[in-house]
Amino acid sequence: MPGSSQFGKLYTTLLLKKLYDLGMIRRVMDVGVGSGTYHNLLAEHLPDADWIGVEVWEPYIERFDLRSLYGTLYNEDVRTLDFDEIGKLDLTLYGDILEHMTKEEAQAVMEKTLAASRLVLLSIPIVHYPQDEVEGNPYEVHVKDDWSHQEVCTSFPNVLTAFVHDHIGVYCLSADEEMARAVAQIHPVLSQMVEKNLPDDRIKWG
């Protein structure tokens, strides 16, 4: 679907705002932007960030006026995207994206992303979650629909933290030492804030 689940969004917003306030996030790439969910969620908290969007399904670009949201917009498949052309990034967002490709493709994409981006934030269903085409968009099919928390943690390198909110896992990955230290310091502080706002939700920390 062109949007994504609200699970995990509060944690994501709080974490990235704190990193932005530390001066660590200025150049952001949003992969599989759909309707622009993550830009719309985060832009006010990252007010002068340079936003780059990647959207493979061309009809979404006009339907959701994506060119007005992103300074640079690529109508491309991230699996074949030229990361060298894009250059260095502070943050790359994968919001409900990797389940739309094979595990091997997801691992290859994440390897390239970690080489280009100081931080990767990955949000993904960690239950059996099948999905077919949506409104004729074949890229909406869930190719690997059975990710688990354990499999995410063991399949990708440099996983720093995990926040599980109901059926959605949110993971921070980084090979950058300074970014890794900052995330490690912020992550534990967020638990009280998140749990206070979501007292009845199913939450796990890692």
Side-chain angles (χ1 to χ4, degrees), residues 145-186:
D145 60 11
D146 61 350
W147 282 101
S148 69
H149 170 66
Q150 181 178 4
E151 188 174 12
V152 170
C153 291
T154 58
S155 296
F156 303 112
N158 304 108
V159 176
L160 305 175
T161 60
F163 170 66
V164 177
H165 187 186
D166 197 86
H167 66 290
I168 297 293
V170 179
Y171 304 88
C172 289
L173 297 80
S174 179
D176 181 280
E177 291 185 4
E178 183 185 19
M179 182 67 78
R181 285 195 299 270
V183 171
Q185 291 173 353
I186 295 169

Short mmCIF file of all heavy atoms in Angstrom, two decimals, residues 145-186:
data_model
loop_
_atom_site.label_atom_id
_atom_site.label_comp_id
_atom_site.label_asym_id
_atom_site.label_seq_id
_atom_site.Cartn_x
_atom_site.Cartn_y
_atom_site.Cartn_z
N ASP A 145 7.11 -12.86 2.91
CA ASP A 145 6.05 -12.40 3.81
C ASP A 145 6.13 -13.03 5.20
O ASP A 145 5.14 -13.04 5.94
CB ASP A 145 4.68 -12.67 3.20
CG ASP A 145 4.41 -14.15 2.93
OD1 ASP A 145 5.20 -15.00 3.39
OD2 ASP A 145 3.41 -14.46 2.26
N ASP A 146 7.31 -13.54 5.56
CA ASP A 146 7.41 -14.24 6.85
C ASP A 146 8.66 -13.85 7.63
O ASP A 146 9.26 -14.67 8.32
CB ASP A 146 7.38 -15.75 6.64
CG ASP A 146 8.54 -16.25 5.77
OD1 ASP A 146 9.26 -15.41 5.19
OD2 ASP A 146 8.72 -17.48 5.68
N TRP A 147 9.07 -12.59 7.54
CA TRP A 147 10.19 -12.14 8.36
C TRP A 147 9.84 -12.27 9.84
O TRP A 147 8.69 -12.07 10.24
CB TRP A 147 10.51 -10.67 8.07
CG TRP A 147 11.28 -10.43 6.81
CD1 TRP A 147 10.78 -9.99 5.62
CD2 TRP A 147 12.69 -10.59 6.61
NE1 TRP A 147 11.78 -9.87 4.69
CE2 TRP A 147 12.96 -10.23 5.27
CE3 TRP A 147 13.74 -11.00 7.44
CZ2 TRP A 147 14.24 -10.27 4.73
CZ3 TRP A 147 15.02 -11.03 6.91
CH2 TRP A 147 15.26 -10.67 5.58
N SER A 148 10.83 -12.60 10.64
CA SER A 148 10.68 -12.61 12.09
C SER A 148 11.72 -11.67 12.69
O SER A 148 12.69 -11.28 12.03
CB SER A 148 10.89 -14.02 12.65
OG SER A 148 12.26 -14.41 12.52
N HIS A 149 11.53 -11.31 13.95
CA HIS A 149 12.50 -10.45 14.64
C HIS A 149 13.88 -11.08 14.63
O HIS A 149 14.88 -10.42 14.30
CB HIS A 149 12.02 -10.20 16.07
CG HIS A 149 13.04 -9.54 16.93
ND1 HIS A 149 13.48 -8.25 16.73
CD2 HIS A 149 13.73 -10.01 18.01
CE1 HIS A 149 14.39 -7.94 17.64
NE2 HIS A 149 14.57 -8.99 18.43
N GLN A 150 13.95 -12.34 14.95
CA GLN A 150 15.25 -13.01 15.00
C GLN A 150 15.91 -13.03 13.62
O GLN A 150 17.12 -12.81 13.50
CB GLN A 150 15.09 -14.44 15.51
CG GLN A 150 16.41 -15.19 15.61
CD GLN A 150 16.25 -16.59 16.18
OE1 GLN A 150 15.13 -17.04 16.43
NE2 GLN A 150 17.35 -17.29 16.37
N GLU A 151 15.11 -13.28 12.58
CA GLU A 151 15.69 -13.36 11.25
C GLU A 151 16.21 -12.00 10.79
O GLU A 151 17.26 -11.92 10.14
CB GLU A 151 14.67 -13.90 10.25
CG GLU A 151 15.28 -14.19 8.88
CD GLU A 151 14.33 -14.86 7.92
OE1 GLU A 151 13.12 -14.91 8.21
OE2 GLU A 151 14.80 -15.32 6.86
N VAL A 152 15.50 -10.93 11.12
CA VAL A 152 16.00 -9.60 10.77
C VAL A 152 17.35 -9.36 11.44
O VAL A 152 18.32 -8.91 10.81
CB VAL A 152 15.00 -8.50 11.20
CG1 VAL A 152 15.62 -7.11 11.06
CG2 VAL A 152 13.73 -8.58 10.37
N CYS A 153 17.44 -9.68 12.73
CA CYS A 153 18.66 -9.41 13.49
C CYS A 153 19.85 -10.23 12.99
O CYS A 153 21.00 -9.77 13.08
CB CYS A 153 18.43 -9.69 14.97
SG CYS A 153 17.29 -8.52 15.76
N THR A 154 19.60 -11.41 12.45
CA THR A 154 20.70 -12.26 12.00
C THR A 154 20.98 -12.12 10.51
O THR A 154 22.02 -12.60 10.03
CB THR A 154 20.41 -13.74 12.32
OG1 THR A 154 19.18 -14.13 11.70
CG2 THR A 154 20.32 -13.96 13.82
N SER A 155 20.10 -11.47 9.76
CA SER A 155 20.26 -11.39 8.30
C SER A 155 21.00 -10.15 7.83
O SER A 155 21.54 -10.13 6.73
CB SER A 155 18.88 -11.42 7.62
OG SER A 155 18.23 -12.65 7.86
N PHE A 156 21.01 -9.11 8.67
CA PHE A 156 21.61 -7.84 8.26
C PHE A 156 22.74 -7.46 9.20
O PHE A 156 22.65 -7.69 10.41
CB PHE A 156 20.55 -6.73 8.24
CG PHE A 156 19.40 -7.03 7.34
CD1 PHE A 156 18.13 -7.26 7.85
CD2 PHE A 156 19.57 -7.11 5.97
CE1 PHE A 156 17.07 -7.55 7.02
CE2 PHE A 156 18.50 -7.39 5.12
CZ PHE A 156 17.25 -7.62 5.65
N PRO A 157 23.80 -6.85 8.67
CA PRO A 157 24.93 -6.45 9.52
C PRO A 157 24.65 -5.16 10.25
O PRO A 157 23.77 -4.38 9.87
CB PRO A 157 26.07 -6.26 8.52
CG PRO A 157 25.37 -5.82 7.27
CD PRO A 157 24.06 -6.57 7.26
N ASN A 158 25.39 -4.95 11.32
CA ASN A 158 25.41 -3.66 12.02
C ASN A 158 24.06 -3.24 12.59
O ASN A 158 23.72 -2.06 12.61
CB ASN A 158 25.94 -2.56 11.09
CG ASN A 158 27.30 -2.86 10.52
OD1 ASN A 158 27.42 -3.17 9.33
ND2 ASN A 158 28.32 -2.84 11.35
N VAL A 159 23.26 -4.22 13.06
CA VAL A 159 22.02 -3.89 13.75
C VAL A 159 22.37 -3.38 15.15
O VAL A 159 22.96 -4.10 15.95
CB VAL A 159 21.07 -5.09 13.83
CG1 VAL A 159 19.82 -4.73 14.64
CG2 VAL A 159 20.69 -5.58 12.44
N LEU A 160 22.00 -2.15 15.44
CA LEU A 160 22.33 -1.52 16.72
C LEU A 160 21.23 -1.69 17.75
O LEU A 160 21.50 -1.99 18.92
CB LEU A 160 22.57 -0.03 16.52
CG LEU A 160 23.61 0.41 15.50
CD1 LEU A 160 23.59 1.93 15.38
CD2 LEU A 160 24.99 -0.07 15.91
N THR A 161 20.00 -1.44 17.34
CA THR A 161 18.87 -1.43 18.27
C THR A 161 17.64 -2.00 17.59
O THR A 161 17.55 -2.04 16.36
CB THR A 161 18.55 0.00 18.74
OG1 THR A 161 18.19 0.80 17.59
CG2 THR A 161 19.72 0.63 19.46
N ALA A 162 16.68 -2.39 18.44
CA ALA A 162 15.40 -2.89 17.93
C ALA A 162 14.28 -2.39 18.82
O ALA A 162 14.42 -2.31 20.04
CB ALA A 162 15.39 -4.42 17.90
N PHE A 163 13.18 -2.03 18.19
CA PHE A 163 11.96 -1.65 18.88
C PHE A 163 10.82 -2.39 18.19
O PHE A 163 10.58 -2.18 17.00
CB PHE A 163 11.73 -0.14 18.82
CG PHE A 163 10.38 0.30 19.31
CD1 PHE A 163 10.03 0.15 20.64
CD2 PHE A 163 9.45 0.85 18.43
CE1 PHE A 163 8.77 0.55 21.09
CE2 PHE A 163 8.20 1.26 18.87
CZ PHE A 163 7.86 1.11 20.21
N VAL A 164 10.16 -3.27 18.92
CA VAL A 164 9.06 -4.05 18.35
C VAL A 164 7.75 -3.52 18.89
O VAL A 164 7.53 -3.49 20.11
CB VAL A 164 9.21 -5.55 18.69
CG1 VAL A 164 8.02 -6.34 18.14
CG2 VAL A 164 10.52 -6.09 18.13
N HIS A 165 6.90 -3.08 17.98
CA HIS A 165 5.61 -2.49 18.34
C HIS A 165 4.53 -3.31 17.65
O HIS A 165 4.32 -3.19 16.44
CB HIS A 165 5.57 -1.03 17.90
CG HIS A 165 4.35 -0.29 18.37
ND1 HIS A 165 4.08 1.00 17.98
CD2 HIS A 165 3.34 -0.65 19.20
CE1 HIS A 165 2.96 1.41 18.55
NE2 HIS A 165 2.48 0.41 19.28
N ASP A 166 3.89 -4.17 18.43
CA ASP A 166 2.89 -5.09 17.89
C ASP A 166 3.53 -5.98 16.84
O ASP A 166 4.42 -6.76 17.15
CB ASP A 166 1.68 -4.31 17.35
CG ASP A 166 0.46 -5.20 17.17
OD1 ASP A 166 -0.28 -5.38 18.14
OD2 ASP A 166 0.29 -5.73 16.06
N HIS A 167 3.14 -5.86 15.57
CA HIS A 167 3.68 -6.74 14.52
C HIS A 167 4.76 -6.08 13.66
O HIS A 167 5.21 -6.65 12.68
CB HIS A 167 2.53 -7.20 13.60
CG HIS A 167 1.92 -6.08 12.80
ND1 HIS A 167 1.16 -5.09 13.37
CD2 HIS A 167 1.97 -5.79 11.47
CE1 HIS A 167 0.75 -4.25 12.44
NE2 HIS A 167 1.23 -4.66 11.28
N ILE A 168 5.19 -4.87 14.05
CA ILE A 168 6.19 -4.13 13.30
C ILE A 168 7.49 -4.04 14.10
O ILE A 168 7.48 -3.67 15.28
CB ILE A 168 5.70 -2.71 12.96
CG1 ILE A 168 4.47 -2.76 12.05
CG2 ILE A 168 6.81 -1.90 12.31
CD1 ILE A 168 4.74 -3.30 10.65
N GLY A 169 8.59 -4.36 13.45
CA GLY A 169 9.90 -4.17 14.05
C GLY A 169 10.58 -2.96 13.44
O GLY A 169 10.55 -2.78 12.22
N VAL A 170 11.19 -2.14 14.29
CA VAL A 170 11.94 -0.97 13.84
C VAL A 170 13.39 -1.18 14.27
O VAL A 170 13.66 -1.36 15.46
CB VAL A 170 11.38 0.33 14.43
CG1 VAL A 170 12.20 1.53 13.96
CG2 VAL A 170 9.91 0.52 14.05
N TYR A 171 14.30 -1.12 13.31
CA TYR A 171 15.70 -1.44 13.57
C TYR A 171 16.59 -0.31 13.07
O TYR A 171 16.37 0.24 11.99
CB TYR A 171 16.08 -2.74 12.85
CG TYR A 171 15.19 -3.89 13.23
CD1 TYR A 171 13.99 -4.13 12.54
CD2 TYR A 171 15.50 -4.73 14.29
CE1 TYR A 171 13.14 -5.16 12.91
CE2 TYR A 171 14.66 -5.77 14.66
CZ TYR A 171 13.48 -5.97 13.97
OH TYR A 171 12.64 -7.00 14.34
N CYS A 172 17.61 0.01 13.87
CA CYS A 172 18.64 0.96 13.46
C CYS A 172 19.90 0.18 13.11
O CYS A 172 20.36 -0.66 13.89
CB CYS A 172 18.95 1.95 14.57
SG CYS A 172 17.64 3.14 14.87
N LEU A 173 20.47 0.49 11.95
CA LEU A 173 21.70 -0.15 11.49
C LEU A 173 22.71 0.94 11.15
O LEU A 173 22.35 1.96 10.54
CB LEU A 173 21.45 -1.01 10.25
CG LEU A 173 20.53 -2.22 10.37
CD1 LEU A 173 19.06 -1.82 10.31
CD2 LEU A 173 20.81 -3.20 9.24
N SER A 174 23.95 0.72 11.52
CA SER A 174 24.98 1.70 11.18
C SER A 174 26.36 1.08 11.32
O SER A 174 26.63 0.33 12.25
CB SER A 174 24.89 2.92 12.10
OG SER A 174 25.90 3.86 11.78
N ALA A 175 27.23 1.44 10.38
CA ALA A 175 28.64 1.08 10.45
C ALA A 175 29.49 2.29 10.83
O ALA A 175 30.72 2.21 10.84
CB ALA A 175 29.11 0.51 9.11
N ASP A 176 28.83 3.40 11.13
CA ASP A 176 29.50 4.65 11.49
C ASP A 176 29.62 4.72 13.01
O ASP A 176 28.61 4.72 13.73
CB ASP A 176 28.68 5.83 10.95
CG ASP A 176 29.31 7.17 11.25
OD1 ASP A 176 29.15 7.65 12.40
OD2 ASP A 176 29.95 7.73 10.36
N GLU A 177 30.82 4.82 13.53
CA GLU A 177 31.04 4.72 14.98
C GLU A 177 30.37 5.87 15.74
O GLU A 177 29.76 5.66 16.79
CB GLU A 177 32.53 4.69 15.28
CG GLU A 177 33.21 3.40 14.83
CD GLU A 177 34.67 3.34 15.26
OE1 GLU A 177 35.12 4.27 15.96
OE2 GLU A 177 35.34 2.37 14.88
N GLU A 178 30.49 7.08 15.22
CA GLU A 178 29.88 8.22 15.90
C GLU A 178 28.37 8.10 15.94
O GLU A 178 27.73 8.34 16.98
CB GLU A 178 30.28 9.52 15.20
CG GLU A 178 29.73 10.77 15.89
CD GLU A 178 30.02 12.05 15.13
OE1 GLU A 178 30.32 11.97 13.92
OE2 GLU A 178 29.95 13.13 15.74
N MET A 179 27.76 7.72 14.82
CA MET A 179 26.32 7.54 14.77
C MET A 179 25.89 6.40 15.69
O MET A 179 24.87 6.50 16.40
CB MET A 179 25.87 7.27 13.34
CG MET A 179 24.37 7.12 13.17
SD MET A 179 23.44 8.66 13.49
CE MET A 179 23.73 9.55 11.95
N ALA A 180 26.64 5.31 15.69
CA ALA A 180 26.30 4.16 16.53
C ALA A 180 26.31 4.55 18.00
O ALA A 180 25.42 4.14 18.77
CB ALA A 180 27.27 3.02 16.27
N ARG A 181 27.28 5.35 18.42
CA ARG A 181 27.33 5.78 19.82
C ARG A 181 26.12 6.65 20.17
O ARG A 181 25.52 6.51 21.25
CB ARG A 181 28.62 6.56 20.08
CG ARG A 181 29.86 5.70 20.19
CD ARG A 181 31.02 6.48 20.81
NE ARG A 181 31.38 7.64 20.01
CZ ARG A 181 32.28 7.64 19.04
NH1 ARG A 181 32.91 6.49 18.73
NH2 ARG A 181 32.57 8.73 18.36
N ALA A 182 25.77 7.54 19.27
CA ALA A 182 24.63 8.42 19.53
C ALA A 182 23.33 7.64 19.65
O ALA A 182 22.53 7.88 20.56
CB ALA A 182 24.52 9.47 18.42
N VAL A 183 23.11 6.69 18.75
CA VAL A 183 21.89 5.88 18.80
C VAL A 183 21.87 5.06 20.08
O VAL A 183 20.82 4.93 20.74
CB VAL A 183 21.80 4.97 17.56
CG1 VAL A 183 20.65 3.97 17.71
CG2 VAL A 183 21.61 5.81 16.29
N ALA A 184 23.01 4.50 20.47
CA ALA A 184 23.07 3.68 21.67
C ALA A 184 22.75 4.49 22.93
O ALA A 184 22.18 3.96 23.89
CB ALA A 184 24.46 3.05 21.80
N GLN A 185 23.09 5.77 22.93
CA GLN A 185 22.78 6.62 24.07
C GLN A 185 21.31 7.05 24.10
O GLN A 185 20.70 7.13 25.16
CB GLN A 185 23.68 7.86 24.04
CG GLN A 185 25.14 7.55 24.31
CD GLN A 185 26.04 8.76 24.10
OE1 GLN A 185 25.60 9.82 23.62
NE2 GLN A 185 27.32 8.62 24.43
N ILE A 186 20.76 7.31 22.94
CA ILE A 186 19.38 7.80 22.87
C ILE A 186 18.36 6.69 23.07
O ILE A 186 17.33 6.88 23.75
CB ILE A 186 19.14 8.50 21.52
CG1 ILE A 186 20.00 9.75 21.40
CG2 ILE A 186 17.66 8.85 21.33
CD1 ILE A 186 20.04 10.34 20.01
#
